[in-house]
Amino acid sequence: MAAALRPAILRHIRIPVRTVSRSRPLACLNPLSTSMIRSMSSHGDDHLTKEEVIERVLDVVKNFPKVDPSKVNPDVHFQKDLGLDSLDNVEIVMALEEEFKLEIPDKEADKIDSCSLAIEYISNHPMAV
Amino acid sequence: MASAASAPSRAEVLSLFRSLLRTAAKFTDYNVREYAKRRTIDGFRENRGLSDPSSIASAFADGRNQLEVAMRQVVVYSLYAPKVKSVMEIGSG
């Protein structure tokens, strides 16, 4: 009697298996699907905008004691236009390092001798804050 | 102990200047940090006009020794770092 009961119960419990045709393409392979674009992700905002970099670099240069703030613009050259010397150059680069929390290697730091180079270097640096 | 060193090149002097400023920035004590920065800048500026190679070399050697002192002191100071920030370090506003 139990032998007949068992299949009856199993038939009742078991869910019949249905095969689903996989004709619909996977959504992730479709490059135009909107699910690829993380519109709410704020990851892209980590990097500084160029305007912000320019403004902060100019502020640092203007606040340097030996500099005349009225002469400072994004194209100014530290030694040629602002009358600074190489020691001042090192000081300004150090001040920029502090402002943007960077560590600029000596070889690169030696090349930065104008506002435009500073702005370019900092904008391209992934770790600038 | 110091051998008769030839005068350092311009790049070496600037490199020493930068190393001193970097080391000064690592001090945890506000006062010592500001002093080290000030002293470095004043010291280098004062000796800017030197033209005699032997005096340049001796000033450079002095700077090197001071750099070693500063590097050691950064370590010692960090062992006793203050728990409360100096009032001067609190940003304005």
Side-chain angles (χ1 to χ4, degrees), chain A residues 90-109:
Chain A
V90 177
E91 275 185 66
I92 284 195
V93 173
M94 291 289 302
L96 288 170
E97 280 187 21
E98 266 187 60
E99 169 70 20
F100 290 96
K101 299 196 182 25
L102 292 176
E103 179 99 14
I104 305 179
D106 287 3
K107 266 178 48 184
E108 303 295 322

PDB file of all heavy atoms in Angstrom, chain A residues 90-109:
ATOM      1  N   VAL A  90      60.743  76.125  -6.232  1.00  0.00           N
ATOM      2  CA  VAL A  90      60.596  74.910  -5.429  1.00  0.00           C
ATOM      3  C   VAL A  90      59.540  75.123  -4.356  1.00  0.00           C
ATOM      4  O   VAL A  90      58.683  74.264  -4.115  1.00  0.00           O
ATOM      5  CB  VAL A  90      61.945  74.528  -4.784  1.00  0.00           C
ATOM      6  CG1 VAL A  90      61.776  73.326  -3.889  1.00  0.00           C
ATOM      7  CG2 VAL A  90      62.972  74.227  -5.859  1.00  0.00           C
ATOM      8  N   GLU A  91      59.578  76.311  -3.735  1.00  0.00           N
ATOM      9  CA  GLU A  91      58.588  76.590  -2.675  1.00  0.00           C
ATOM     10  C   GLU A  91      57.173  76.559  -3.204  1.00  0.00           C
ATOM     11  O   GLU A  91      56.266  76.011  -2.567  1.00  0.00           O
ATOM     12  CB  GLU A  91      58.849  77.986  -2.082  1.00  0.00           C
ATOM     13  CG  GLU A  91      59.872  78.030  -0.998  1.00  0.00           C
ATOM     14  CD  GLU A  91      59.975  79.424  -0.407  1.00  0.00           C
ATOM     15  OE1 GLU A  91      59.004  79.880   0.213  1.00  0.00           O
ATOM     16  OE2 GLU A  91      61.035  80.053  -0.590  1.00  0.00           O
ATOM     17  N   ILE A  92      56.971  77.154  -4.381  1.00  0.00           N
ATOM     18  CA  ILE A  92      55.612  77.196  -4.950  1.00  0.00           C
ATOM     19  C   ILE A  92      55.138  75.786  -5.282  1.00  0.00           C
ATOM     20  O   ILE A  92      53.985  75.428  -5.010  1.00  0.00           O
ATOM     21  CB  ILE A  92      55.562  78.092  -6.204  1.00  0.00           C
ATOM     22  CG1 ILE A  92      55.579  79.544  -5.799  1.00  0.00           C
ATOM     23  CG2 ILE A  92      54.335  77.783  -7.032  1.00  0.00           C
ATOM     24  CD1 ILE A  92      55.179  80.495  -6.900  1.00  0.00           C
ATOM     25  N   VAL A  93      56.034  74.963  -5.851  1.00  0.00           N
ATOM     26  CA  VAL A  93      55.628  73.592  -6.187  1.00  0.00           C
ATOM     27  C   VAL A  93      55.277  72.824  -4.916  1.00  0.00           C
ATOM     28  O   VAL A  93      54.319  72.047  -4.882  1.00  0.00           O
ATOM     29  CB  VAL A  93      56.747  72.881  -6.981  1.00  0.00           C
ATOM     30  CG1 VAL A  93      56.420  71.436  -7.183  1.00  0.00           C
ATOM     31  CG2 VAL A  93      56.946  73.563  -8.311  1.00  0.00           C
ATOM     32  N   MET A  94      56.050  73.070  -3.830  1.00  0.00           N
ATOM     33  CA  MET A  94      55.726  72.428  -2.548  1.00  0.00           C
ATOM     34  C   MET A  94      54.350  72.866  -2.059  1.00  0.00           C
ATOM     35  O   MET A  94      53.575  72.051  -1.544  1.00  0.00           O
ATOM     36  CB  MET A  94      56.769  72.776  -1.486  1.00  0.00           C
ATOM     37  CG  MET A  94      58.133  72.190  -1.706  1.00  0.00           C
ATOM     38  SD  MET A  94      58.186  70.416  -1.431  1.00  0.00           S
ATOM     39  CE  MET A  94      57.623  70.279   0.233  1.00  0.00           C
ATOM     40  N   ALA A  95      54.058  74.170  -2.211  1.00  0.00           N
ATOM     41  CA  ALA A  95      52.760  74.667  -1.770  1.00  0.00           C
ATOM     42  C   ALA A  95      51.639  74.029  -2.594  1.00  0.00           C
ATOM     43  O   ALA A  95      50.567  73.701  -2.063  1.00  0.00           O
ATOM     44  CB  ALA A  95      52.707  76.197  -1.897  1.00  0.00           C
ATOM     45  N   LEU A  96      51.884  73.824  -3.892  1.00  0.00           N
ATOM     46  CA  LEU A  96      50.873  73.169  -4.731  1.00  0.00           C
ATOM     47  C   LEU A  96      50.685  71.716  -4.308  1.00  0.00           C
ATOM     48  O   LEU A  96      49.568  71.196  -4.302  1.00  0.00           O
ATOM     49  CB  LEU A  96      51.284  73.247  -6.201  1.00  0.00           C
ATOM     50  CG  LEU A  96      51.186  74.622  -6.837  1.00  0.00           C
ATOM     51  CD1 LEU A  96      51.842  74.641  -8.208  1.00  0.00           C
ATOM     52  CD2 LEU A  96      49.739  75.052  -6.962  1.00  0.00           C
ATOM     53  N   GLU A  97      51.811  71.062  -3.955  1.00  0.00           N
ATOM     54  CA  GLU A  97      51.710  69.681  -3.484  1.00  0.00           C
ATOM     55  C   GLU A  97      50.822  69.597  -2.258  1.00  0.00           C
ATOM     56  O   GLU A  97      50.003  68.681  -2.104  1.00  0.00           O
ATOM     57  CB  GLU A  97      53.088  69.136  -3.125  1.00  0.00           C
ATOM     58  CG  GLU A  97      53.911  68.686  -4.288  1.00  0.00           C
ATOM     59  CD  GLU A  97      55.195  68.004  -3.846  1.00  0.00           C
ATOM     60  OE1 GLU A  97      55.262  67.543  -2.701  1.00  0.00           O
ATOM     61  OE2 GLU A  97      56.116  67.951  -4.661  1.00  0.00           O
ATOM     62  N   GLU A  98      50.997  70.591  -1.346  1.00  0.00           N
ATOM     63  CA  GLU A  98      50.189  70.588  -0.126  1.00  0.00           C
ATOM     64  C   GLU A  98      48.732  70.819  -0.426  1.00  0.00           C
ATOM     65  O   GLU A  98      47.852  70.172   0.142  1.00  0.00           O
ATOM     66  CB  GLU A  98      50.674  71.705   0.808  1.00  0.00           C
ATOM     67  CG  GLU A  98      51.671  71.247   1.821  1.00  0.00           C
ATOM     68  CD  GLU A  98      51.989  72.348   2.812  1.00  0.00           C
ATOM     69  OE1 GLU A  98      51.043  72.804   3.489  1.00  0.00           O
ATOM     70  OE2 GLU A  98      53.144  72.748   2.866  1.00  0.00           O
ATOM     71  N   GLU A  99      48.458  71.759  -1.348  1.00  0.00           N
ATOM     72  CA  GLU A  99      47.080  72.118  -1.651  1.00  0.00           C
ATOM     73  C   GLU A  99      46.313  70.944  -2.252  1.00  0.00           C
ATOM     74  O   GLU A  99      45.157  70.698  -1.918  1.00  0.00           O
ATOM     75  CB  GLU A  99      47.084  73.307  -2.626  1.00  0.00           C
ATOM     76  CG  GLU A  99      45.748  73.643  -3.261  1.00  0.00           C
ATOM     77  CD  GLU A  99      44.740  74.239  -2.288  1.00  0.00           C
ATOM     78  OE1 GLU A  99      45.170  74.746  -1.235  1.00  0.00           O
ATOM     79  OE2 GLU A  99      43.539  74.177  -2.570  1.00  0.00           O
ATOM     80  N   PHE A 100      46.979  70.210  -3.153  1.00  0.00           N
ATOM     81  CA  PHE A 100      46.282  69.135  -3.858  1.00  0.00           C
ATOM     82  C   PHE A 100      46.612  67.768  -3.299  1.00  0.00           C
ATOM     83  O   PHE A 100      46.230  66.750  -3.873  1.00  0.00           O
ATOM     84  CB  PHE A 100      46.621  69.181  -5.357  1.00  0.00           C
ATOM     85  CG  PHE A 100      46.030  70.366  -6.061  1.00  0.00           C
ATOM     86  CD1 PHE A 100      46.780  71.507  -6.254  1.00  0.00           C
ATOM     87  CD2 PHE A 100      44.729  70.345  -6.510  1.00  0.00           C
ATOM     88  CE1 PHE A 100      46.233  72.613  -6.888  1.00  0.00           C
ATOM     89  CE2 PHE A 100      44.177  71.437  -7.152  1.00  0.00           C
ATOM     90  CZ  PHE A 100      44.934  72.569  -7.341  1.00  0.00           C
ATOM     91  N   LYS A 101      47.327  67.735  -2.193  1.00  0.00           N
ATOM     92  CA  LYS A 101      47.685  66.490  -1.531  1.00  0.00           C
ATOM     93  C   LYS A 101      48.382  65.526  -2.480  1.00  0.00           C
ATOM     94  O   LYS A 101      48.018  64.358  -2.587  1.00  0.00           O
ATOM     95  CB  LYS A 101      46.446  65.835  -0.911  1.00  0.00           C
ATOM     96  CG  LYS A 101      45.784  66.709   0.133  1.00  0.00           C
ATOM     97  CD  LYS A 101      44.839  65.942   0.998  1.00  0.00           C
ATOM     98  CE  LYS A 101      44.118  66.770   2.038  1.00  0.00           C
ATOM     99  NZ  LYS A 101      43.934  68.183   1.806  1.00  0.00           N
ATOM    100  N   LEU A 102      49.348  66.032  -3.194  1.00  0.00           N
ATOM    101  CA  LEU A 102      50.091  65.208  -4.142  1.00  0.00           C
ATOM    102  C   LEU A 102      51.516  65.034  -3.674  1.00  0.00           C
ATOM    103  O   LEU A 102      51.994  65.763  -2.824  1.00  0.00           O
ATOM    104  CB  LEU A 102      50.149  65.890  -5.515  1.00  0.00           C
ATOM    105  CG  LEU A 102      48.864  66.006  -6.294  1.00  0.00           C
ATOM    106  CD1 LEU A 102      49.138  66.791  -7.557  1.00  0.00           C
ATOM    107  CD2 LEU A 102      48.329  64.646  -6.642  1.00  0.00           C
ATOM    108  N   GLU A 103      52.191  64.067  -4.288  1.00  0.00           N
ATOM    109  CA  GLU A 103      53.622  63.948  -4.091  1.00  0.00           C
ATOM    110  C   GLU A 103      54.216  63.968  -5.494  1.00  0.00           C
ATOM    111  O   GLU A 103      54.122  62.992  -6.225  1.00  0.00           O
ATOM    112  CB  GLU A 103      53.937  62.629  -3.375  1.00  0.00           C
ATOM    113  CG  GLU A 103      55.391  62.384  -3.144  1.00  0.00           C
ATOM    114  CD  GLU A 103      55.853  62.729  -1.731  1.00  0.00           C
ATOM    115  OE1 GLU A 103      55.003  62.917  -0.862  1.00  0.00           O
ATOM    116  OE2 GLU A 103      57.064  62.787  -1.529  1.00  0.00           O
ATOM    117  N   ILE A 104      54.771  65.098  -5.877  1.00  0.00           N
ATOM    118  CA  ILE A 104      55.303  65.238  -7.233  1.00  0.00           C
ATOM    119  C   ILE A 104      56.768  64.837  -7.226  1.00  0.00           C
ATOM    120  O   ILE A 104      57.551  65.401  -6.450  1.00  0.00           O
ATOM    121  CB  ILE A 104      55.171  66.691  -7.728  1.00  0.00           C
ATOM    122  CG1 ILE A 104      53.725  67.156  -7.620  1.00  0.00           C
ATOM    123  CG2 ILE A 104      55.651  66.802  -9.154  1.00  0.00           C
ATOM    124  CD1 ILE A 104      53.518  68.590  -8.061  1.00  0.00           C
ATOM    125  N   PRO A 105      57.176  63.861  -8.036  1.00  0.00           N
ATOM    126  CA  PRO A 105      58.594  63.459  -8.056  1.00  0.00           C
ATOM    127  C   PRO A 105      59.479  64.601  -8.522  1.00  0.00           C
ATOM    128  O   PRO A 105      59.057  65.464  -9.276  1.00  0.00           O
ATOM    129  CB  PRO A 105      58.618  62.291  -9.045  1.00  0.00           C
ATOM    130  CG  PRO A 105      57.338  62.318  -9.761  1.00  0.00           C
ATOM    131  CD  PRO A 105      56.358  63.091  -8.964  1.00  0.00           C
ATOM    132  N   ASP A 106      60.740  64.586  -8.046  1.00  0.00           N
ATOM    133  CA  ASP A 106      61.646  65.711  -8.287  1.00  0.00           C
ATOM    134  C   ASP A 106      61.802  66.040  -9.767  1.00  0.00           C
ATOM    135  O   ASP A 106      61.831  67.211 -10.145  1.00  0.00           O
ATOM    136  CB  ASP A 106      63.024  65.394  -7.697  1.00  0.00           C
ATOM    137  CG  ASP A 106      62.994  65.482  -6.187  1.00  0.00           C
ATOM    138  OD1 ASP A 106      61.911  65.735  -5.630  1.00  0.00           O
ATOM    139  OD2 ASP A 106      64.049  65.306  -5.559  1.00  0.00           O
ATOM    140  N   LYS A 107      61.906  64.986 -10.597  1.00  0.00           N
ATOM    141  CA  LYS A 107      62.115  65.238 -12.024  1.00  0.00           C
ATOM    142  C   LYS A 107      60.963  66.031 -12.630  1.00  0.00           C
ATOM    143  O   LYS A 107      61.171  66.900 -13.455  1.00  0.00           O
ATOM    144  CB  LYS A 107      62.253  63.899 -12.763  1.00  0.00           C
ATOM    145  CG  LYS A 107      63.689  63.478 -12.916  1.00  0.00           C
ATOM    146  CD  LYS A 107      63.823  62.136 -13.596  1.00  0.00           C
ATOM    147  CE  LYS A 107      62.981  62.056 -14.852  1.00  0.00           C
ATOM    148  NZ  LYS A 107      63.063  60.698 -15.441  1.00  0.00           N
ATOM    149  N   GLU A 108      59.740  65.676 -12.222  1.00  0.00           N
ATOM    150  CA  GLU A 108      58.587  66.410 -12.746  1.00  0.00           C
ATOM    151  C   GLU A 108      58.516  67.796 -12.140  1.00  0.00           C
ATOM    152  O   GLU A 108      58.151  68.770 -12.809  1.00  0.00           O
ATOM    153  CB  GLU A 108      57.292  65.655 -12.420  1.00  0.00           C
ATOM    154  CG  GLU A 108      57.263  64.247 -12.935  1.00  0.00           C
ATOM    155  CD  GLU A 108      57.283  64.203 -14.440  1.00  0.00           C
ATOM    156  OE1 GLU A 108      56.648  65.053 -15.072  1.00  0.00           O
ATOM    157  OE2 GLU A 108      57.966  63.325 -14.980  1.00  0.00           O
ATOM    158  N   ALA A 109      58.837  67.884 -10.852  1.00  0.00           N
ATOM    159  CA  ALA A 109      58.715  69.168 -10.164  1.00  0.00           C
ATOM    160  C   ALA A 109      59.675  70.196 -10.763  1.00  0.00           C
ATOM    161  O   ALA A 109      59.364  71.383 -10.832  1.00  0.00           O
ATOM    162  CB  ALA A 109      59.001  68.990  -8.674  1.00  0.00           C
TER     163      ALA A 109
END
